[in-house]
Amino acid sequence: MTIHRINPTPRWSDITVFQGIAHFVEVAEADTRADIKGQVGQIFAQAEESLAKVGSDKTRVLSVTIYVTDFANFAALNEVWDAWFAPGTAPSRACVKVELANPELLVEMAFVAAAGKAYQ
């Protein structure tokens, strides 16, 4: 069975796909000084690009693990989350409070999604 690694580096791959399931992690890359809504918005925009690379979209997200640095941002995070997913398509998720390696980052998300036919 083939493991597809998209843009592999010595430390990580941008996306790893095995048996039709894609795994990838996103952080705010364009503007790390944005507030939580801005960072979550950036993450979702990047996630859409990552999903497209494996022939998928946000309706095929299976689960998301959310790493947040401050639960005071939880309500604002949920506002952006609720607006991004169409009704009935929200995946399972976990939200954990952490300290991230870059102190400007407020949130990091690990996605698991069903990939398109080319990755089955």
Side-chain angles (χ1 to χ4, degrees):
M1 301 200 168
T2 303
I3 298 173
H4 301 273
R5 299 182 195 280
I6 298 172
N7 298 326
T9 73
R11 292 201 176 140
W12 68 77
S13 294
D14 286 348
I15 306 168
T16 304
V17 185
F18 181 68
Q19 293 188 330
I21 305 297
H23 303 262
F24 60 95
V25 177
E26 301 289 355
V27 296
E29 293 177 347
D31 182 6
T32 59
R33 295 179 191 253
D35 65 7
I36 189 72
K37 287 183 178 183
Q39 288 195 19
V40 172
Q42 289 176 64
I43 287 171
F44 285 158
Q46 292 164 198
E48 288 187 28
E49 291 175 12
S50 293
L51 290 162
K53 288 178 184 175
V54 295
S56 191
D57 62 56
K58 64 185 175 182
T59 67
R60 298 172 55 86
V61 174
L62 303 172
S63 69
V64 181
T65 303
I66 304 166
Y67 303 95
V68 63
T69 59
D70 188 344
F71 278 130
N73 291 325
F74 196 61
L77 181 152
N78 280 334
E79 282 183 46
V80 182
W81 175 277
D82 293 345
W84 194 60
F85 287 103
T89 66
S92 61
R93 77 178 207 181
C95 190
V96 181
K97 184 177 181 230
V98 298
E99 179 179 348
L100 296 173
N102 179 343
E104 291 183 332
L105 295 175
L106 304 174
V107 61
E108 181 172 320
M109 293 187 191
F111 293 81
V112 177
K117 291 183 182 189
Y119 293 93
Q120 300 300 314

PDB file of all heavy atoms in Angstrom, residues 40-60:
ATOM      1  N   VAL A  40      -7.575  31.660  12.814  1.00  0.00           N
ATOM      2  CA  VAL A  40      -8.426  30.529  12.423  1.00  0.00           C
ATOM      3  C   VAL A  40      -8.838  30.672  10.961  1.00  0.00           C
ATOM      4  O   VAL A  40      -8.833  29.702  10.204  1.00  0.00           O
ATOM      5  CB  VAL A  40      -9.653  30.392  13.356  1.00  0.00           C
ATOM      6  CG1 VAL A  40     -10.633  29.352  12.826  1.00  0.00           C
ATOM      7  CG2 VAL A  40      -9.209  30.031  14.766  1.00  0.00           C
ATOM      8  N   GLY A  41      -9.162  31.884  10.537  1.00  0.00           N
ATOM      9  CA  GLY A  41      -9.505  32.122   9.135  1.00  0.00           C
ATOM     10  C   GLY A  41      -8.370  31.744   8.203  1.00  0.00           C
ATOM     11  O   GLY A  41      -8.591  31.134   7.144  1.00  0.00           O
ATOM     12  N   GLN A  42      -7.143  32.094   8.582  1.00  0.00           N
ATOM     13  CA  GLN A  42      -5.975  31.726   7.781  1.00  0.00           C
ATOM     14  C   GLN A  42      -5.818  30.209   7.720  1.00  0.00           C
ATOM     15  O   GLN A  42      -5.541  29.640   6.656  1.00  0.00           O
ATOM     16  CB  GLN A  42      -4.701  32.324   8.385  1.00  0.00           C
ATOM     17  CG  GLN A  42      -4.576  33.819   8.235  1.00  0.00           C
ATOM     18  CD  GLN A  42      -3.344  34.329   8.951  1.00  0.00           C
ATOM     19  OE1 GLN A  42      -2.221  33.970   8.564  1.00  0.00           O
ATOM     20  NE2 GLN A  42      -3.528  35.142   9.976  1.00  0.00           N
ATOM     21  N   ILE A  43      -5.998  29.571   8.859  1.00  0.00           N
ATOM     22  CA  ILE A  43      -5.875  28.109   8.916  1.00  0.00           C
ATOM     23  C   ILE A  43      -6.895  27.462   7.993  1.00  0.00           C
ATOM     24  O   ILE A  43      -6.572  26.545   7.237  1.00  0.00           O
ATOM     25  CB  ILE A  43      -6.010  27.610  10.370  1.00  0.00           C
ATOM     26  CG1 ILE A  43      -4.743  27.961  11.148  1.00  0.00           C
ATOM     27  CG2 ILE A  43      -6.318  26.117  10.422  1.00  0.00           C
ATOM     28  CD1 ILE A  43      -4.832  27.725  12.646  1.00  0.00           C
ATOM     29  N   PHE A  44      -8.134  27.935   8.027  1.00  0.00           N
ATOM     30  CA  PHE A  44      -9.158  27.339   7.177  1.00  0.00           C
ATOM     31  C   PHE A  44      -8.880  27.584   5.697  1.00  0.00           C
ATOM     32  O   PHE A  44      -9.107  26.699   4.866  1.00  0.00           O
ATOM     33  CB  PHE A  44     -10.549  27.828   7.577  1.00  0.00           C
ATOM     34  CG  PHE A  44     -11.066  27.211   8.850  1.00  0.00           C
ATOM     35  CD1 PHE A  44     -12.053  27.844   9.578  1.00  0.00           C
ATOM     36  CD2 PHE A  44     -10.590  26.002   9.323  1.00  0.00           C
ATOM     37  CE1 PHE A  44     -12.555  27.284  10.744  1.00  0.00           C
ATOM     38  CE2 PHE A  44     -11.072  25.426  10.485  1.00  0.00           C
ATOM     39  CZ  PHE A  44     -12.061  26.066  11.195  1.00  0.00           C
ATOM     40  N   ALA A  45      -8.368  28.752   5.355  1.00  0.00           N
ATOM     41  CA  ALA A  45      -8.013  29.020   3.956  1.00  0.00           C
ATOM     42  C   ALA A  45      -6.895  28.071   3.503  1.00  0.00           C
ATOM     43  O   ALA A  45      -6.947  27.506   2.400  1.00  0.00           O
ATOM     44  CB  ALA A  45      -7.592  30.476   3.785  1.00  0.00           C
ATOM     45  N   GLN A  46      -5.902  27.881   4.342  1.00  0.00           N
ATOM     46  CA  GLN A  46      -4.809  26.963   4.033  1.00  0.00           C
ATOM     47  C   GLN A  46      -5.327  25.526   3.972  1.00  0.00           C
ATOM     48  O   GLN A  46      -4.896  24.745   3.114  1.00  0.00           O
ATOM     49  CB  GLN A  46      -3.707  27.077   5.092  1.00  0.00           C
ATOM     50  CG  GLN A  46      -2.987  28.402   5.060  1.00  0.00           C
ATOM     51  CD  GLN A  46      -2.180  28.690   6.324  1.00  0.00           C
ATOM     52  OE1 GLN A  46      -1.833  29.840   6.555  1.00  0.00           O
ATOM     53  NE2 GLN A  46      -1.892  27.709   7.145  1.00  0.00           N
ATOM     54  N   ALA A  47      -6.239  25.174   4.870  1.00  0.00           N
ATOM     55  CA  ALA A  47      -6.796  23.819   4.866  1.00  0.00           C
ATOM     56  C   ALA A  47      -7.521  23.544   3.555  1.00  0.00           C
ATOM     57  O   ALA A  47      -7.409  22.446   2.995  1.00  0.00           O
ATOM     58  CB  ALA A  47      -7.730  23.626   6.061  1.00  0.00           C
ATOM     59  N   GLU A  48      -8.249  24.530   3.049  1.00  0.00           N
ATOM     60  CA  GLU A  48      -8.936  24.346   1.768  1.00  0.00           C
ATOM     61  C   GLU A  48      -7.932  24.063   0.653  1.00  0.00           C
ATOM     62  O   GLU A  48      -8.170  23.213  -0.210  1.00  0.00           O
ATOM     63  CB  GLU A  48      -9.812  25.548   1.453  1.00  0.00           C
ATOM     64  CG  GLU A  48     -11.045  25.613   2.341  1.00  0.00           C
ATOM     65  CD  GLU A  48     -12.024  26.698   1.939  1.00  0.00           C
ATOM     66  OE1 GLU A  48     -12.075  27.058   0.748  1.00  0.00           O
ATOM     67  OE2 GLU A  48     -12.740  27.175   2.827  1.00  0.00           O
ATOM     68  N   GLU A  49      -6.795  24.753   0.671  1.00  0.00           N
ATOM     69  CA  GLU A  49      -5.755  24.512  -0.323  1.00  0.00           C
ATOM     70  C   GLU A  49      -5.166  23.111  -0.169  1.00  0.00           C
ATOM     71  O   GLU A  49      -4.955  22.405  -1.163  1.00  0.00           O
ATOM     72  CB  GLU A  49      -4.646  25.562  -0.200  1.00  0.00           C
ATOM     73  CG  GLU A  49      -5.071  26.955  -0.601  1.00  0.00           C
ATOM     74  CD  GLU A  49      -3.996  28.007  -0.358  1.00  0.00           C
ATOM     75  OE1 GLU A  49      -2.835  27.635  -0.079  1.00  0.00           O
ATOM     76  OE2 GLU A  49      -4.317  29.201  -0.448  1.00  0.00           O
ATOM     77  N   SER A  50      -4.918  22.705   1.064  1.00  0.00           N
ATOM     78  CA  SER A  50      -4.373  21.363   1.312  1.00  0.00           C
ATOM     79  C   SER A  50      -5.362  20.288   0.878  1.00  0.00           C
ATOM     80  O   SER A  50      -4.988  19.299   0.247  1.00  0.00           O
ATOM     81  CB  SER A  50      -4.015  21.184   2.795  1.00  0.00           C
ATOM     82  OG  SER A  50      -2.939  22.025   3.144  1.00  0.00           O
ATOM     83  N   LEU A  51      -6.624  20.488   1.207  1.00  0.00           N
ATOM     84  CA  LEU A  51      -7.654  19.525   0.805  1.00  0.00           C
ATOM     85  C   LEU A  51      -7.737  19.408  -0.715  1.00  0.00           C
ATOM     86  O   LEU A  51      -7.833  18.303  -1.262  1.00  0.00           O
ATOM     87  CB  LEU A  51      -9.005  19.930   1.396  1.00  0.00           C
ATOM     88  CG  LEU A  51      -9.124  19.760   2.910  1.00  0.00           C
ATOM     89  CD1 LEU A  51     -10.296  20.573   3.453  1.00  0.00           C
ATOM     90  CD2 LEU A  51      -9.260  18.283   3.277  1.00  0.00           C
ATOM     91  N   ALA A  52      -7.661  20.530  -1.403  1.00  0.00           N
ATOM     92  CA  ALA A  52      -7.719  20.521  -2.866  1.00  0.00           C
ATOM     93  C   ALA A  52      -6.545  19.734  -3.463  1.00  0.00           C
ATOM     94  O   ALA A  52      -6.705  19.051  -4.479  1.00  0.00           O
ATOM     95  CB  ALA A  52      -7.745  21.949  -3.408  1.00  0.00           C
ATOM     96  N   LYS A  53      -5.385  19.795  -2.827  1.00  0.00           N
ATOM     97  CA  LYS A  53      -4.207  19.063  -3.327  1.00  0.00           C
ATOM     98  C   LYS A  53      -4.422  17.556  -3.325  1.00  0.00           C
ATOM     99  O   LYS A  53      -3.765  16.839  -4.075  1.00  0.00           O
ATOM    100  CB  LYS A  53      -2.970  19.411  -2.490  1.00  0.00           C
ATOM    101  CG  LYS A  53      -2.448  20.798  -2.728  1.00  0.00           C
ATOM    102  CD  LYS A  53      -1.259  21.098  -1.847  1.00  0.00           C
ATOM    103  CE  LYS A  53      -0.797  22.539  -2.039  1.00  0.00           C
ATOM    104  NZ  LYS A  53       0.286  22.905  -1.118  1.00  0.00           N
ATOM    105  N   VAL A  54      -5.329  17.078  -2.472  1.00  0.00           N
ATOM    106  CA  VAL A  54      -5.595  15.637  -2.414  1.00  0.00           C
ATOM    107  C   VAL A  54      -6.994  15.308  -2.924  1.00  0.00           C
ATOM    108  O   VAL A  54      -7.572  14.277  -2.602  1.00  0.00           O
ATOM    109  CB  VAL A  54      -5.364  15.063  -0.995  1.00  0.00           C
ATOM    110  CG1 VAL A  54      -3.899  15.183  -0.602  1.00  0.00           C
ATOM    111  CG2 VAL A  54      -6.263  15.722   0.044  1.00  0.00           C
ATOM    112  N   GLY A  55      -7.558  16.218  -3.729  1.00  0.00           N
ATOM    113  CA  GLY A  55      -8.850  15.978  -4.350  1.00  0.00           C
ATOM    114  C   GLY A  55     -10.004  15.927  -3.371  1.00  0.00           C
ATOM    115  O   GLY A  55     -10.968  15.191  -3.557  1.00  0.00           O
ATOM    116  N   SER A  56      -9.926  16.734  -2.334  1.00  0.00           N
ATOM    117  CA  SER A  56     -10.943  16.719  -1.288  1.00  0.00           C
ATOM    118  C   SER A  56     -11.457  18.134  -1.034  1.00  0.00           C
ATOM    119  O   SER A  56     -11.054  19.080  -1.708  1.00  0.00           O
ATOM    120  CB  SER A  56     -10.345  16.113  -0.001  1.00  0.00           C
ATOM    121  OG  SER A  56     -11.345  15.857   0.955  1.00  0.00           O
ATOM    122  N   ASP A  57     -12.354  18.259  -0.074  1.00  0.00           N
ATOM    123  CA  ASP A  57     -12.850  19.570   0.339  1.00  0.00           C
ATOM    124  C   ASP A  57     -13.317  19.487   1.789  1.00  0.00           C
ATOM    125  O   ASP A  57     -13.280  18.422   2.401  1.00  0.00           O
ATOM    126  CB  ASP A  57     -13.986  20.051  -0.579  1.00  0.00           C
ATOM    127  CG  ASP A  57     -15.193  19.141  -0.555  1.00  0.00           C
ATOM    128  OD1 ASP A  57     -15.741  18.885   0.534  1.00  0.00           O
ATOM    129  OD2 ASP A  57     -15.610  18.687  -1.631  1.00  0.00           O
ATOM    130  N   LYS A  58     -13.757  20.614   2.328  1.00  0.00           N
ATOM    131  CA  LYS A  58     -14.071  20.674   3.759  1.00  0.00           C
ATOM    132  C   LYS A  58     -15.245  19.799   4.176  1.00  0.00           C
ATOM    133  O   LYS A  58     -15.382  19.479   5.344  1.00  0.00           O
ATOM    134  CB  LYS A  58     -14.274  22.119   4.212  1.00  0.00           C
ATOM    135  CG  LYS A  58     -15.440  22.833   3.581  1.00  0.00           C
ATOM    136  CD  LYS A  58     -15.448  24.290   4.018  1.00  0.00           C
ATOM    137  CE  LYS A  58     -16.532  25.076   3.328  1.00  0.00           C
ATOM    138  NZ  LYS A  58     -16.479  26.478   3.728  1.00  0.00           N
ATOM    139  N   THR A  59     -16.075  19.372   3.239  1.00  0.00           N
ATOM    140  CA  THR A  59     -17.177  18.469   3.593  1.00  0.00           C
ATOM    141  C   THR A  59     -16.675  17.061   3.876  1.00  0.00           C
ATOM    142  O   THR A  59     -17.413  16.232   4.393  1.00  0.00           O
ATOM    143  CB  THR A  59     -18.239  18.392   2.470  1.00  0.00           C
ATOM    144  OG1 THR A  59     -17.673  17.764   1.320  1.00  0.00           O
ATOM    145  CG2 THR A  59     -18.782  19.773   2.136  1.00  0.00           C
ATOM    146  N   ARG A  60     -15.408  16.788   3.536  1.00  0.00           N
ATOM    147  CA  ARG A  60     -14.827  15.459   3.731  1.00  0.00           C
ATOM    148  C   ARG A  60     -13.856  15.403   4.901  1.00  0.00           C
ATOM    149  O   ARG A  60     -13.134  14.427   5.076  1.00  0.00           O
ATOM    150  CB  ARG A  60     -14.163  15.008   2.426  1.00  0.00           C
ATOM    151  CG  ARG A  60     -15.203  14.895   1.283  1.00  0.00           C
ATOM    152  CD  ARG A  60     -14.584  14.635  -0.065  1.00  0.00           C
ATOM    153  NE  ARG A  60     -13.726  13.482  -0.121  1.00  0.00           N
ATOM    154  CZ  ARG A  60     -14.128  12.221  -0.351  1.00  0.00           C
ATOM    155  NH1 ARG A  60     -15.407  11.971  -0.529  1.00  0.00           N
ATOM    156  NH2 ARG A  60     -13.255  11.232  -0.408  1.00  0.00           N
TER     157      ARG A  60
END
